[in-house]
Amino acid sequence: MLAFGLMIGLLPAQPCFSFDINSGVSKESGPFDLFKFGFKAYKNGQKQDAVEAYRYAAEKGHTGSRWALANMYADGDGVAQNDLEAFKIYSEIASQGVEPGSEDTGFFVNALLALADYYRHGIPGTAVKTDLTQARQIYFQVASTFGVAEAQFQLARMMMTGEGGSANVQQAKKWLNQARKAGHPGAMAIFGNVLFQEGQTVRGLAFLTAALDRCSKRDCPWMEEMQENAFALSSEGDRRSAVALAQQFAAGATE
């Protein structure tokens, strides 16, 4: 379990909203009932009710409600956007740890990932400053203990550039390889680019090409640029071989 010393505090006072009298749920209800009510309210677009329910459940120690509330603050979803409040709640979740096999594991892991991102970039205008060493340590914990592909990917990126510690391309490759085997498109693209730079032209280009079939709208542009640059440096024969191999990767026929 990581120790977090920054600003773990109480949520600010918020205006109270009334639950639907027919819902059978009040602030005295159990935390799971409040969580279910909040989830349903959120899905129905009743976000103020969702915030109220999550807050009451969070005060009673319900981890899922804390996580949901933190996400709403982080995204400005139903509440005023407030990264510092999100950071505080994620920190509370992280400081509690999680028992092996707990149903709260997913909330715990996602809270750690959110904290790593905050430490990596800081929160302007607050006491939460950039701490690359802390971010890298968190990514390492999540990557090694929980095998989460996103953490493996982010850890590898930091290792490649020497963020938060020494640069280590070979270790980065190992983490990228694990993440891309789990289907992470970004890891597949960067892993392919590393192979390409090392002289494994066809195999590297194949991974770069296969990654484009899985990329998100946000990540496709940088992956496309990387793949196009590699294509431009390759012979026609290597390109054709890479495209054929990429199709095999997409079909899962080749590791």
Side-chain angles (χ1 to χ4, degrees):
M1 180 180 70
L2 294 176
F4 294 93
L6 285 176
M7 300 173 300
I8 299 176
L10 297 175
L11 294 176
Q14 300 286 338
C16 292
F17 303 99
S18 299
F19 290 118
D20 182 347
I21 194 171
N22 297 317
S23 69
V25 176
S26 70
K27 65 181 182 179
E28 285 79 26
S29 297
F32 186 64
D33 287 334
L34 285 163
F35 173 72
K36 288 193 297 182
F37 177 89
F39 181 78
K40 183 177 180 181
Y42 182 89
K43 296 291 284 186
N44 290 335
Q46 299 167 323
K47 294 184 179 180
Q48 289 184 330
D49 283 343
V51 169
E52 183 188 12
Y54 287 148
R55 185 174 293 113
Y56 284 131
E59 290 172 355
K60 298 181 181 186
H62 191 267
T63 303
S65 294
R66 285 178 172 172
W67 176 76
L69 190 59
N71 289 345
M72 294 180 80
Y73 275 115
D75 297 334
D77 186 13
V79 292
Q81 197 272 341
N82 191 326
D83 283 311
L84 183 58
E85 288 305 323
F87 177 87
K88 290 178 182 179
I89 304 171
Y90 289 133
S91 296
E92 290 174 353
I93 296 171
S95 67
Q96 290 179 344
V98 66
E99 294 295 328
S102 169
E103 62 183 11
D104 289 337
T105 299
F107 302 127
F108 175 72
V109 166
N110 282 292
L112 288 177
L113 289 174
L115 284 173
D117 187 68
Y118 279 130
Y119 280 120
R120 196 171 183 180
H121 300 100
I123 303 176
T126 75
V128 182
K129 306 303 180 184
T130 299
D131 188 339
L132 296 179
T133 300
Q134 181 76 305
R136 183 160 163 169
Q137 289 174 349
I138 297 173
Y139 283 135
F140 178 79
Q141 178 189 5
V142 179
S144 58
T145 304
F146 300 98
V148 176
E150 178 64 17
Q152 294 168 344
F153 171 63
Q154 297 297 345
L155 174 62
R157 291 179 65 189
M158 296 189 79
M159 284 183 165
M160 290 187 70
T161 59
E163 288 184 274
S166 59
N168 191 326
V169 175
Q170 293 307 309
Q171 283 296 317
K173 278 178 63 179
K174 292 180 180 180
W175 289 115
L176 287 171
N177 197 31
Q178 288 192 39
R180 70 94 187 163
K181 286 182 177 180
H184 195 291
M188 181 177 289
I190 294 181
F191 181 72
N193 193 56
V194 171
L195 294 182
F196 184 86
Q197 296 296 331
E198 291 178 344
Q200 299 184 54
T201 303
V202 172
R203 188 170 174 81
L205 194 54
F207 279 124
L208 280 162
T209 303
L212 293 180
D213 291 332
R214 309 182 185 186
C215 62
S216 65
K217 184 177 180 180
R218 181 188 67 181
D219 293 327
C220 276
W222 67 262
M223 291 188 198
E224 289 175 353
E225 181 179 3
M226 190 177 289
Q227 192 258 7
E228 288 172 358
N229 289 338
F231 245 56
L233 296 173
S234 303
S235 67
E236 183 64 26
D238 285 344
R239 294 174 188 172
R240 291 179 179 177
S241 297
V243 170
L245 188 56
Q247 292 173 348
Q248 294 180 37
F249 289 156
T254 303
E255 281 288 314

mmCIF file of all heavy atoms in Angstrom, residues 49-78:
data_model
loop_
_atom_site.group_PDB
_atom_site.id
_atom_site.type_symbol
_atom_site.label_atom_id
_atom_site.label_comp_id
_atom_site.label_asym_id
_atom_site.label_seq_id
_atom_site.Cartn_x
_atom_site.Cartn_y
_atom_site.Cartn_z
ATOM 1 N N ASP A 49 -28.808 14.516 -7.551
ATOM 2 C CA ASP A 49 -29.203 13.440 -6.651
ATOM 3 C C ASP A 49 -28.097 12.400 -6.544
ATOM 4 O O ASP A 49 -27.859 11.836 -5.466
ATOM 5 C CB ASP A 49 -30.488 12.774 -7.141
ATOM 6 C CG ASP A 49 -31.732 13.599 -6.847
ATOM 7 O OD1 ASP A 49 -31.642 14.508 -6.003
ATOM 8 O OD2 ASP A 49 -32.779 13.337 -7.464
ATOM 9 N N ALA A 50 -27.432 12.130 -7.667
ATOM 10 C CA ALA A 50 -26.338 11.153 -7.648
ATOM 11 C C ALA A 50 -25.215 11.630 -6.738
ATOM 12 O O ALA A 50 -24.689 10.853 -5.930
ATOM 13 C CB ALA A 50 -25.819 10.927 -9.064
ATOM 14 N N VAL A 51 -24.853 12.896 -6.849
ATOM 15 C CA VAL A 51 -23.789 13.449 -6.004
ATOM 16 C C VAL A 51 -24.149 13.333 -4.535
ATOM 17 O O VAL A 51 -23.335 12.931 -3.699
ATOM 18 C CB VAL A 51 -23.512 14.923 -6.380
ATOM 19 C CG1 VAL A 51 -22.605 15.582 -5.346
ATOM 20 C CG2 VAL A 51 -22.867 15.006 -7.756
ATOM 21 N N GLU A 52 -25.400 13.667 -4.207
ATOM 22 C CA GLU A 52 -25.835 13.602 -2.810
ATOM 23 C C GLU A 52 -25.766 12.170 -2.292
ATOM 24 O O GLU A 52 -25.242 11.911 -1.198
ATOM 25 C CB GLU A 52 -27.261 14.133 -2.668
ATOM 26 C CG GLU A 52 -27.746 14.153 -1.222
ATOM 27 C CD GLU A 52 -29.224 14.490 -1.110
ATOM 28 O OE1 GLU A 52 -29.914 14.489 -2.144
ATOM 29 O OE2 GLU A 52 -29.679 14.721 0.008
ATOM 30 N N ALA A 53 -26.265 11.236 -3.075
ATOM 31 C CA ALA A 53 -26.265 9.838 -2.649
ATOM 32 C C ALA A 53 -24.836 9.312 -2.503
ATOM 33 O O ALA A 53 -24.503 8.640 -1.516
ATOM 34 C CB ALA A 53 -27.042 8.987 -3.647
ATOM 35 N N TYR A 54 -23.989 9.611 -3.474
ATOM 36 C CA TYR A 54 -22.599 9.165 -3.400
ATOM 37 C C TYR A 54 -21.902 9.769 -2.174
ATOM 38 O O TYR A 54 -21.114 9.102 -1.498
ATOM 39 C CB TYR A 54 -21.840 9.570 -4.659
ATOM 40 C CG TYR A 54 -22.172 8.778 -5.901
ATOM 41 C CD1 TYR A 54 -22.114 9.372 -7.161
ATOM 42 C CD2 TYR A 54 -22.530 7.429 -5.819
ATOM 43 C CE1 TYR A 54 -22.401 8.649 -8.316
ATOM 44 C CE2 TYR A 54 -22.827 6.706 -6.965
ATOM 45 C CZ TYR A 54 -22.762 7.314 -8.209
ATOM 46 O OH TYR A 54 -23.051 6.595 -9.342
ATOM 47 N N ARG A 55 -22.211 11.016 -1.883
ATOM 48 C CA ARG A 55 -21.556 11.664 -0.748
ATOM 49 C C ARG A 55 -21.964 11.001 0.572
ATOM 50 O O ARG A 55 -21.105 10.726 1.426
ATOM 51 C CB ARG A 55 -21.906 13.162 -0.719
ATOM 52 C CG ARG A 55 -21.169 13.911 0.369
ATOM 53 C CD ARG A 55 -21.403 15.406 0.289
ATOM 54 N NE ARG A 55 -20.789 15.954 -0.914
ATOM 55 C CZ ARG A 55 -21.468 16.469 -1.926
ATOM 56 N NH1 ARG A 55 -22.782 16.504 -1.904
ATOM 57 N NH2 ARG A 55 -20.851 16.969 -2.968
ATOM 58 N N TYR A 56 -23.248 10.728 0.728
ATOM 59 C CA TYR A 56 -23.681 10.060 1.955
ATOM 60 C C TYR A 56 -23.061 8.671 2.079
ATOM 61 O O TYR A 56 -22.623 8.254 3.159
ATOM 62 C CB TYR A 56 -25.211 9.943 1.991
ATOM 63 C CG TYR A 56 -25.921 11.237 2.330
ATOM 64 C CD1 TYR A 56 -26.994 11.688 1.556
ATOM 65 C CD2 TYR A 56 -25.533 12.012 3.423
ATOM 66 C CE1 TYR A 56 -27.659 12.870 1.851
ATOM 67 C CE2 TYR A 56 -26.183 13.184 3.723
ATOM 68 C CZ TYR A 56 -27.247 13.620 2.947
ATOM 69 O OH TYR A 56 -27.899 14.790 3.256
ATOM 70 N N ALA A 57 -23.031 7.951 0.956
ATOM 71 C CA ALA A 57 -22.446 6.609 0.980
ATOM 72 C C ALA A 57 -20.949 6.674 1.250
ATOM 73 O O ALA A 57 -20.393 5.826 1.960
ATOM 74 C CB ALA A 57 -22.713 5.895 -0.341
ATOM 75 N N ALA A 58 -20.284 7.679 0.678
ATOM 76 C CA ALA A 58 -18.844 7.843 0.897
ATOM 77 C C ALA A 58 -18.548 8.110 2.363
ATOM 78 O O ALA A 58 -17.568 7.583 2.922
ATOM 79 C CB ALA A 58 -18.315 8.975 0.027
ATOM 80 N N GLU A 59 -19.382 8.916 2.999
ATOM 81 C CA GLU A 59 -19.202 9.204 4.419
ATOM 82 C C GLU A 59 -19.336 7.946 5.272
ATOM 83 O O GLU A 59 -18.788 7.870 6.378
ATOM 84 C CB GLU A 59 -20.217 10.250 4.877
ATOM 85 C CG GLU A 59 -19.943 11.646 4.322
ATOM 86 C CD GLU A 59 -21.060 12.622 4.615
ATOM 87 O OE1 GLU A 59 -22.101 12.186 5.171
ATOM 88 O OE2 GLU A 59 -20.904 13.811 4.285
ATOM 89 N N LYS A 60 -20.045 6.949 4.744
ATOM 90 C CA LYS A 60 -20.219 5.681 5.445
ATOM 91 C C LYS A 60 -19.173 4.643 5.026
ATOM 92 O O LYS A 60 -19.285 3.471 5.364
ATOM 93 C CB LYS A 60 -21.635 5.144 5.212
ATOM 94 C CG LYS A 60 -22.717 6.081 5.768
ATOM 95 C CD LYS A 60 -24.116 5.524 5.546
ATOM 96 C CE LYS A 60 -25.167 6.505 6.082
ATOM 97 N NZ LYS A 60 -26.543 5.968 6.015
ATOM 98 N N GLY A 61 -18.188 5.109 4.259
ATOM 99 C CA GLY A 61 -17.058 4.245 3.929
ATOM 100 C C GLY A 61 -17.192 3.429 2.666
ATOM 101 O O GLY A 61 -16.395 2.508 2.455
ATOM 102 N N HIS A 62 -18.168 3.744 1.804
ATOM 103 C CA HIS A 62 -18.348 2.952 0.591
ATOM 104 C C HIS A 62 -17.344 3.393 -0.476
ATOM 105 O O HIS A 62 -17.399 4.509 -0.996
ATOM 106 C CB HIS A 62 -19.777 3.118 0.062
ATOM 107 C CG HIS A 62 -20.119 2.153 -1.026
ATOM 108 N ND1 HIS A 62 -19.967 2.452 -2.359
ATOM 109 C CD2 HIS A 62 -20.576 0.866 -0.981
ATOM 110 C CE1 HIS A 62 -20.341 1.414 -3.087
ATOM 111 N NE2 HIS A 62 -20.705 0.440 -2.279
ATOM 112 N N THR A 63 -16.410 2.510 -0.827
ATOM 113 C CA THR A 63 -15.313 2.854 -1.727
ATOM 114 C C THR A 63 -15.797 3.200 -3.128
ATOM 115 O O THR A 63 -15.311 4.155 -3.745
ATOM 116 C CB THR A 63 -14.313 1.696 -1.804
ATOM 117 O OG1 THR A 63 -13.852 1.388 -0.480
ATOM 118 C CG2 THR A 63 -13.119 2.055 -2.682
ATOM 119 N N GLY A 64 -16.749 2.436 -3.642
ATOM 120 C CA GLY A 64 -17.253 2.701 -4.985
ATOM 121 C C GLY A 64 -17.882 4.078 -5.095
ATOM 122 O O GLY A 64 -17.743 4.756 -6.129
ATOM 123 N N SER A 65 -18.558 4.516 -4.051
ATOM 124 C CA SER A 65 -19.166 5.848 -4.062
ATOM 125 C C SER A 65 -18.102 6.934 -4.015
ATOM 126 O O SER A 65 -18.220 7.967 -4.676
ATOM 127 C CB SER A 65 -20.115 5.995 -2.874
ATOM 128 O OG SER A 65 -21.218 5.117 -3.015
ATOM 129 N N ARG A 66 -17.064 6.702 -3.230
ATOM 130 C CA ARG A 66 -15.960 7.661 -3.195
ATOM 131 C C ARG A 66 -15.336 7.805 -4.581
ATOM 132 O O ARG A 66 -15.059 8.908 -5.051
ATOM 133 C CB ARG A 66 -14.898 7.203 -2.192
ATOM 134 C CG ARG A 66 -15.269 7.405 -0.751
ATOM 135 C CD ARG A 66 -14.187 6.897 0.175
ATOM 136 N NE ARG A 66 -14.454 7.256 1.559
ATOM 137 C CZ ARG A 66 -13.762 6.811 2.593
ATOM 138 N NH1 ARG A 66 -12.759 5.978 2.389
ATOM 139 N NH2 ARG A 66 -14.056 7.184 3.821
ATOM 140 N N TRP A 67 -15.115 6.663 -5.218
ATOM 141 C CA TRP A 67 -14.499 6.676 -6.539
ATOM 142 C C TRP A 67 -15.388 7.399 -7.552
ATOM 143 O O TRP A 67 -14.913 8.221 -8.339
ATOM 144 C CB TRP A 67 -14.235 5.241 -6.976
ATOM 145 C CG TRP A 67 -13.698 5.102 -8.362
ATOM 146 C CD1 TRP A 67 -12.428 5.353 -8.781
ATOM 147 C CD2 TRP A 67 -14.428 4.681 -9.519
ATOM 148 N NE1 TRP A 67 -12.313 5.107 -10.136
ATOM 149 C CE2 TRP A 67 -13.526 4.695 -10.606
ATOM 150 C CE3 TRP A 67 -15.749 4.283 -9.741
ATOM 151 C CZ2 TRP A 67 -13.911 4.334 -11.900
ATOM 152 C CZ3 TRP A 67 -16.127 3.930 -11.016
ATOM 153 C CH2 TRP A 67 -15.222 3.953 -12.086
ATOM 154 N N ALA A 68 -16.686 7.107 -7.532
ATOM 155 C CA ALA A 68 -17.617 7.755 -8.454
ATOM 156 C C ALA A 68 -17.652 9.259 -8.227
ATOM 157 O O ALA A 68 -17.684 10.052 -9.185
ATOM 158 C CB ALA A 68 -19.019 7.155 -8.296
ATOM 159 N N LEU A 69 -17.639 9.660 -6.962
ATOM 160 C CA LEU A 69 -17.669 11.080 -6.625
ATOM 161 C C LEU A 69 -16.383 11.767 -7.098
ATOM 162 O O LEU A 69 -16.417 12.872 -7.650
ATOM 163 C CB LEU A 69 -17.847 11.249 -5.115
ATOM 164 C CG LEU A 69 -18.135 12.656 -4.584
ATOM 165 C CD1 LEU A 69 -19.403 13.223 -5.193
ATOM 166 C CD2 LEU A 69 -18.253 12.620 -3.052
ATOM 167 N N ALA A 70 -15.253 11.102 -6.905
ATOM 168 C CA ALA A 70 -13.976 11.661 -7.352
ATOM 169 C C ALA A 70 -13.967 11.861 -8.866
ATOM 170 O O ALA A 70 -13.490 12.880 -9.375
ATOM 171 C CB ALA A 70 -12.825 10.752 -6.932
ATOM 172 N N ASN A 71 -14.502 10.883 -9.584
ATOM 173 C CA ASN A 71 -14.566 11.008 -11.044
ATOM 174 C C ASN A 71 -15.409 12.207 -11.461
ATOM 175 O O ASN A 71 -15.073 12.912 -12.431
ATOM 176 C CB ASN A 71 -15.158 9.734 -11.653
ATOM 177 C CG ASN A 71 -14.223 8.550 -11.560
ATOM 178 O OD1 ASN A 71 -13.032 8.707 -11.300
ATOM 179 N ND2 ASN A 71 -14.758 7.362 -11.770
ATOM 180 N N MET A 72 -16.499 12.437 -10.753
ATOM 181 C CA MET A 72 -17.374 13.551 -11.097
ATOM 182 C C MET A 72 -16.657 14.879 -10.873
ATOM 183 O O MET A 72 -16.781 15.814 -11.673
ATOM 184 C CB MET A 72 -18.678 13.474 -10.307
ATOM 185 C CG MET A 72 -19.533 12.259 -10.682
ATOM 186 S SD MET A 72 -21.103 12.115 -9.778
ATOM 187 C CE MET A 72 -22.118 13.301 -10.686
ATOM 188 N N TYR A 73 -15.878 14.977 -9.785
ATOM 189 C CA TYR A 73 -15.097 16.193 -9.556
ATOM 190 C C TYR A 73 -14.010 16.340 -10.621
ATOM 191 O O TYR A 73 -13.760 17.441 -11.125
ATOM 192 C CB TYR A 73 -14.453 16.169 -8.171
ATOM 193 C CG TYR A 73 -15.354 16.668 -7.072
ATOM 194 C CD1 TYR A 73 -15.790 15.822 -6.054
ATOM 195 C CD2 TYR A 73 -15.761 18.002 -7.037
ATOM 196 C CE1 TYR A 73 -16.616 16.278 -5.038
ATOM 197 C CE2 TYR A 73 -16.587 18.472 -6.033
ATOM 198 C CZ TYR A 73 -17.010 17.611 -5.027
ATOM 199 O OH TYR A 73 -17.833 18.073 -4.038
ATOM 200 N N ALA A 74 -13.346 15.240 -10.961
ATOM 201 C CA ALA A 74 -12.259 15.300 -11.940
ATOM 202 C C ALA A 74 -12.763 15.749 -13.311
ATOM 203 O O ALA A 74 -12.072 16.476 -14.033
ATOM 204 C CB ALA A 74 -11.575 13.941 -12.044
ATOM 205 N N ASP A 75 -13.961 15.310 -13.674
ATOM 206 C CA ASP A 75 -14.513 15.594 -14.998
ATOM 207 C C ASP A 75 -15.424 16.816 -15.025
ATOM 208 O O ASP A 75 -15.870 17.222 -16.106
ATOM 209 C CB ASP A 75 -15.295 14.383 -15.504
ATOM 210 C CG ASP A 75 -14.421 13.155 -15.685
ATOM 211 O OD1 ASP A 75 -13.196 13.322 -15.903
ATOM 212 O OD2 ASP A 75 -14.952 12.029 -15.611
ATOM 213 N N GLY A 76 -15.744 17.381 -13.851
ATOM 214 C CA GLY A 76 -16.728 18.456 -13.823
ATOM 215 C C GLY A 76 -18.085 17.958 -14.266
ATOM 216 O O GLY A 76 -18.817 18.636 -14.980
ATOM 217 N N ASP A 77 -18.438 16.767 -13.820
ATOM 218 C CA ASP A 77 -19.646 16.077 -14.275
ATOM 219 C C ASP A 77 -20.703 16.113 -13.182
ATOM 220 O O ASP A 77 -20.670 15.324 -12.242
ATOM 221 C CB ASP A 77 -19.282 14.626 -14.616
ATOM 222 C CG ASP A 77 -20.420 13.848 -15.240
ATOM 223 O OD1 ASP A 77 -21.420 14.476 -15.637
ATOM 224 O OD2 ASP A 77 -20.313 12.609 -15.329
ATOM 225 N N GLY A 78 -21.621 17.061 -13.279
ATOM 226 C CA GLY A 78 -22.662 17.195 -12.260
ATOM 227 C C GLY A 78 -22.259 18.083 -11.104
ATOM 228 O O GLY A 78 -23.090 18.430 -10.260
#
